[in-house]
Structures are given as structure tokens and as C-alpha cells.
Amino acid sequence: MIKLDRIKIFALGYDHKTDDYKLSAGVTDFQREDTVFQIYSLASNSWKLGPTVPYSISYTARWHEVVVNGYHHWLAIAQRKFFILSFDIINESFKEMQPPKELLGKNLEDDRIIPGVLEGCLYILDSSYTNGVKINVEVWEMLDYGVHESWTRRYIITHESIIWRRNLIYSYVVVFWEW
């Protein structure tokens, strides 16, 4: 039985190979650094042990999951560096995807990077700060899914365009349009 307070991330998807809906839950123990996944099958009405990833995943990752090309994506942090964790619900496997090379050297916290989908492509928002004040948000898009070299900076949203509310900063891209 899974304890709800230990679920860090989850994914729900359809497995067309087995004609089954699956729920995958990433569970962590407070004394361990890894995350163990358990997978529920609607067809068999049962749970089974899935893969383990060798790092802890932030609780905030669950709110920033995106699905691109049938894969679920979250940001993960290991040794204070971030990467994108991709989950294939059909094969029940994970893959790590590196961010743009321009962001590799940054020592980031996961609440400063947000993944999303833009025109069917995976993107990440990178917030930049100076003296604790957000100065801009860069939108990085992966033009060719899975190809690291295809990361492209599409937009820079300046501090004048960033919405401030009750001292919280919201940097979600709501709508993009074609020029």
C-alpha cells in the first residue's frame, strides 16, 4: 500500500500496446535519496514495483509535469544540477534529458525552472535573478524532440512583462501566437 504523503510525482497514461490505463507513482522514503516507482494497472486492478531512479525528486515537480510525444516530463535535481526526467508509461522506463548547454553550468533550484509544451515542443522557462529580483525569463524550446543540440532560445520575457502578485512571481507562458 502506498502512503499518500510519500508520493512525489505521478503520471496517468494509456498503454496502447496492452490496451490498459496505468498510474505510476514515484514514492520516496525520507531517509533515502532515491525514488521508487510503483505502477497500477487498471486492467489487472493491481500494483507492481516499477523502476527506481537514483535521486530524490522535489515535491514541486508534481505540479509541473508535461506530456510531449507521449512521454511524461518533470524537472529533477541531482547534486544541485537540474535535468529533465522523461518517463515512457508504455515501456515503464526513464530517460534523462539535459537542458540547453547554456544552462548546464547554472546552480539552480527547481522552482526557478518550469517545463511546458509550446506548439507541440518541449520547453523550459529559465528565470534569471539579480540581487533577489527577477530580471527576465528565457523560453528555451527543444525543436527536435530528444536531440540535445536542438534547444533554441525562442523568447526573452523582460521584467516589465512579469506579473507580480502578493510577493509571488508567476512566470508561466499563457499564450503564444504566430507573428
Side-chain angles (χ1 to χ4, degrees):
M1 176 131 178
I2 297 176
K3 293 184 179 184
L4 292 178
D5 66 336
R6 299 222 176 140
I7 295 176
K8 291 241 183 159
I9 61 174
F10 48 87
L12 176 65
Y14 177 70
D15 181 344
H16 64 85
K17 287 185 179 178
T18 60
D19 189 29
D20 189 12
Y21 286 92
K22 296 179 181 177
L23 173 66
S24 178
V27 181
T28 189
D29 188 330
F30 296 111
Q31 288 111 0
R32 296 176 59 156
E33 288 296 318
D34 57 1
T35 302
V36 178
F37 283 80
Q38 296 184 31
I39 299 170
Y40 174 79
S41 163
L42 184 63
S44 67
N45 190 26
S46 64
W47 287 94
K48 72 176 183 178
L49 189 60
T52 298
V53 292
Y55 34 80
S56 182
I57 298 171
S58 165
Y59 279 108
T60 60
R62 76 173 73 175
W63 310 118
H64 301 297
E65 177 223 3
V66 295
V67 178
V68 179
N69 283 0
Y71 297 91
H72 298 260
H73 299 82
W74 302 272
L75 290 176
I77 296 178
Q79 300 168 344
R80 300 193 48 82
K81 301 294 181 202
F82 82 96
F83 57 93
I84 299 162
L85 183 63
S86 172
F87 178 60
D88 178 353
I89 205 156
I90 294 171
N91 296 316
E92 301 173 3
S93 61
F94 286 93
K95 159 173 93 166
E96 294 178 11
M97 300 171 73
Q98 294 299 312
K101 64 181 178 185
E102 291 82 357
L103 304 181
L104 283 174
K106 285 191 162 189
N107 191 6
L108 302 169
E109 298 299 327
D110 61 349
D111 62 344
R112 298 174 78 170
I113 298 290
I114 299 171
V117 181
L118 175 62
E119 298 170 352
C121 295
L122 180 65
Y123 78 79
I124 57 175
L125 298 178
D126 172 31
S127 301
S128 297
Y129 292 82
T130 299
N131 298 323
V133 175
K134 185 180 280 192
I135 58 171
N136 69 28
V137 176
E138 293 181 351
V139 179
W140 289 86
E141 183 177 9
M142 182 178 266
L143 297 175
D144 189 8
Y145 182 80
V147 178
H148 181 260
E149 295 76 22
S150 73
W151 280 112
T152 302
R153 185 173 55 200
R154 289 277 306 259
Y155 306 99
I156 298 175
I157 304 168
T158 62
H159 70 282
E160 292 90 4
S161 303
I162 298 171
I163 301 169
W164 293 77
R165 183 176 170 199
R166 285 191 244 148
N167 296 327
L168 295 175
I169 303 168
Y170 296 90
S171 341
Y172 293 95
V173 175
V174 178
V175 175
F176 276 104
W177 57 91
E178 303 239 353
W179 292 93

